[in-house]
Amino acid sequence: MTDTRGQGPSYETYNGPLPGERGGTQPQSGPYHPPQAYGTPGQGTPAQGVPAAGKGGAATRKPRTGARTTPRTRKARLRVAKADPWSVMKVSFLLSIALGICTVVAAAVLWMVMDAMGVFSTVGGTISEATGSNESNGFDLQSFLSLPRVLMFTSVIAVIDVVLMTALATLGAFIYNLSAGFVGGVELTLAEDE
């Protein structure tokens, strides 16, 4: 097989620019400025390959003196345009049942504490002496305020409270939807938690 490329150039005597270097024929008129994507305010976008300093303005980027230390909190302003009455009714029903159970338990605990302190016997004795006569013993507060009677009365109040709270919350949702159609609803500002 024979070599058909011929004799190559001699690189020992080559004086031109090497690959990756700038050609020696271009005049150097100052430091090199890379092409800018955006010009400075008041100037147009510099042409591709032409430094912005050559257009009559110094378009050097200023170094950042200090970084922001506190992170920015994103905020969003939202508006509650409509409240679904069915979901309001379900939530208010569950919350009113929980409140009714808490009322019954609190009444039972309060009755037990007052009975252990002797409040009913002391107040009941005073009332029976004040209302009693020679023929009758007077009003018996301890039998009137017994624990089963107090719990039954508290349970009736709790059931009435459940019905009223559910009805009022559902009616409030309807009224809110009507008023939100006129004034736009309640505006909320939500911030992202850091």
Side-chain angles (χ1 to χ4, degrees):
M1 183 183 281
T2 59
D3 187 11
T4 58
R5 289 180 295 178
Q7 186 173 357
S10 173
Y11 291 106
E12 291 141 3
T13 59
Y14 180 72
N15 290 330
L18 296 175
E21 292 182 354
R22 298 181 65 168
T25 59
Q26 296 179 353
Q28 301 244 346
S29 63
Y32 171 70
H33 295 285
Q36 299 283 328
Y38 300 102
T40 57
Q43 296 179 356
T45 304
Q48 182 70 23
V50 178
K55 290 204 165 205
T60 58
R61 185 178 293 177
K62 294 180 181 179
R64 296 180 68 180
T65 56
R68 184 183 292 244
T69 56
T70 58
R72 291 182 60 185
T73 303
R74 293 191 300 177
K75 293 183 180 180
R77 292 189 68 183
L78 301 176
R79 191 167 46 95
V80 181
K82 183 182 179 183
D84 185 26
W86 176 249
S87 64
V88 170
M89 186 184 75
K90 289 189 293 186
V91 170
S92 63
F93 179 70
L94 289 177
L95 290 178
S96 60
I97 284 180
L99 184 63
I101 293 172
C102 290
T103 303
V104 172
V105 171
V109 170
L110 182 63
W111 188 92
M112 290 177 191
V113 169
M114 290 177 71
D115 188 44
M117 291 172 57
V119 173
F120 294 126
S121 60
T122 304
V123 175
T126 305
I127 291 176
S128 64
E129 286 179 6
T131 58
S133 62
N134 293 333
E135 293 84 18
S136 63
N137 292 334
F139 182 72
D140 190 8
L141 182 66
Q142 287 181 326
S143 64
F144 181 74
L145 291 180
S146 63
L147 182 60
R149 185 173 285 184
V150 168
L151 290 181
M152 186 182 67
F153 180 72
T154 308
S155 300
V156 169
I157 295 295
V159 168
I160 294 173
D161 186 36
V162 166
V163 173
L164 283 179
M165 281 184 64
T166 305
L168 288 177
T170 308
L171 181 64
F174 279 112
I175 293 174
Y176 177 79
N177 290 338
L178 289 175
S179 63
F182 293 110
V183 297
V186 177
E187 288 188 0
L188 303 174
T189 301
L190 303 178
E192 185 179 13
D193 193 9
E194 292 294 335

